[in-house]
Amino acid sequence: MDANTLVAGCVFGVSLFLYTRLKPKNGNLEMPEDIVRDDELVDFAARNIEFDADGWKEPFHSKIRFRKVSANLLIKYDNNGLVEETVYVNQTDHYLEKSVFRGYCEKRKVNETFFYDFIRSCIDLDTGEAVKDVEQHLFWKYELSSEKTRDLVFYKYADLLKAFYFMAENDGRLDDKSIDTVRDYLIRLTGDDRISNEQVDSLFADLITSGKDNLELSVARAGQHEEVDLEDFLKCCEALAGSKKPYWPLQSAALEILRERQ
C-alpha cells in the first residue's frame, strides 16, 4: 500500500467517525414553531398585537388604536359608486396608519368606517369650510381638543392614576366625589379646564391595575415627574383616602413616602 492510499484511508475513516458521532440524532429536525421565517413576517401593528409580558407596565385594556375626535362633515364618498353622506365623526385612526375614521351616518342611521382615499369632497358643517385634506383636518381637531389632554394623562401619568385609584376605589370604582377631586387635580396639572368628569371616569375604566400591593410603587413613580407638585399630589391622595380613616396599612405607607419627599 503506497503512502497516498494510506493517507486517503485515514482521512475517510476520521470523516466517517465524526459524521456518525456528531450528526443530530433526529435526521428530520424541523424549525421550531416560535421561529418566524422571512416569508411569514407580519405587520403586528396592523393586527393590533403588543408584546409586553409585564402587565404592570401595560396600562391599557383596549388594543383598538383609535382616537376620539368630534367633527360634523358632509362628504361625497366614492366606494363602488358616488354617494353623499352627513357624518358625525367620533373616532380617527389612533396612529394615522390605517387611513380611516369612524362616524355616525345621518342617512343610514349606522356607524361606519370611512377611508380617506375614497373622499371626493368634504365640507365641515360646523364652520362651512371646504376641507381639502380630511385626514389632516381631523388630526388638528384632535390636537386642539381636550381628548388630546386626556390621552396624554393616560399615557404619561399611568402611575399617578393608579395611585389615585387605590387611594379612592370602593368595590372597584370611584364615587362621584372622588372623580371630582381627580378632575380638579388634573386641571391643575395640565392647565386644561375642559377635562370632564366623563373623561376622568374613562381614564380609570381603561386603566389596568394589578393589586393594592403596588400602591407604594405607583406613588414613588408618579412623584418622579418634575411637573408633579408633590405637595399637591399628597393633598389629593389624602383627600381621596380621607373617607376611609383610619387608613389601611398600604395607604399609610404610600402617603408616608410622599411626606418624606416634601
Side-chain angles (χ1 to χ4, degrees):
M1 180 181 297
D2 60 29
N4 290 335
T5 303
L6 180 61
V7 171
C10 291
V11 170
F12 176 79
V14 170
S15 298
L16 181 63
F17 171 81
L18 292 174
Y19 174 76
T20 56
R21 292 297 300 272
L22 300 180
K23 79 170 185 175
K25 295 183 184 302
N26 182 355
N28 297 314
L29 288 177
E30 297 180 355
M31 184 179 291
E33 293 183 0
D34 60 346
I35 299 297
V36 180
R37 300 176 178 86
D38 289 342
D39 60 346
E40 295 176 338
L41 292 177
V42 293
D43 181 2
F44 290 114
R47 289 174 51 187
N48 298 323
I49 297 175
E50 294 182 24
F51 295 93
D52 186 356
D54 187 350
W56 174 247
K57 296 179 182 178
E58 172 52 68
F60 314 112
H61 275 310
S62 176
K63 305 299 181 187
I64 299 174
R65 295 166 65 162
F66 278 79
R67 289 172 172 152
K68 288 185 178 180
V69 63
S70 297
N72 301 317
L73 305 179
L74 176 64
I75 63 172
K76 288 186 178 179
Y77 194 74
D78 189 1
N79 183 15
N80 297 321
L82 187 65
V83 296
E84 187 173 81
E85 295 275 9
T86 297
V87 183
Y88 304 106
V89 181
N90 47 51
Q91 289 180 317
T92 185
D93 176 38
H94 190 94
Y95 291 101
L96 300 180
E97 290 173 353
K98 297 181 182 178
S99 298
V100 300
F101 65 92
R102 290 176 177 175
Y104 181 78
C105 298
E106 183 179 64
K107 185 184 297 183
R108 288 178 288 152
K109 311 298 183 187
V110 294
N111 285 297
E112 280 284 5
T113 299
F114 295 89
F115 290 84
Y116 294 109
D117 291 345
F118 295 163
I119 297 175
R120 299 296 170 253
S121 68
C122 175
I123 295 176
D124 188 319
L125 295 175
D126 295 325
T127 64
E129 172 189 1
V131 180
K132 293 184 178 180
D133 189 334
V134 180
E135 184 174 2
Q136 190 65 28
H137 185 68
L138 294 181
F139 171 76
W140 282 114
K141 286 266 190 181
Y142 170 80
E143 285 293 308
L144 298 174
S145 72
S146 61
E147 283 298 329
K148 169 71 176 292
T149 306
R150 181 261 182 212
D151 289 346
L152 285 175
V153 169
F154 186 66
Y155 298 139
K156 187 173 183 179
Y157 301 108
D159 285 301
L160 185 145
L161 295 173
K162 290 172 185 176
F164 287 161
Y165 176 81
F166 285 129
M167 286 292 179
E169 70 90 15
N170 184 16
D171 293 330
R173 65 178 301 274
L174 275 66
D175 59 26
D176 292 341
K177 183 179 178 181
S178 296
I179 293 292
D180 286 337
T181 299
V182 174
R183 174 181 176 270
D184 290 343
Y185 175 86
L186 293 179
I187 288 174
R188 294 193 299 274
L189 176 66
T190 64
D192 191 343
D193 61 5
R194 300 171 299 169
I195 297 175
S196 67
N197 282 21
E198 291 74 20
Q199 288 173 321
V200 173
D201 197 38
S202 74
L203 286 170
F204 291 110
D206 289 345
L207 194 70
I208 286 181
T209 53
S210 55
K212 291 184 175 68
D213 56 325
N214 283 303
L215 175 55
E216 292 180 60
L217 181 60
S218 294
V219 168
R221 286 176 172 173
Q224 291 175 353
H225 292 284
E226 292 182 2
E227 60 272 31
V228 171
D229 183 287
L230 292 179
E231 183 177 356
D232 194 14
F233 183 31
L234 173 60
K235 287 180 180 179
C236 188
C237 286
E238 288 176 333
L240 292 170
S243 60
K244 300 187 181 69
K245 287 184 178 178
Y247 302 137
W248 35 270
L250 288 174
Q251 281 181 319
S252 297
L255 290 171
E256 192 58 32
I257 290 175
L258 286 176
R259 293 190 185 106
E260 290 175 354
R261 295 182 62 182
Q262 298 297 307

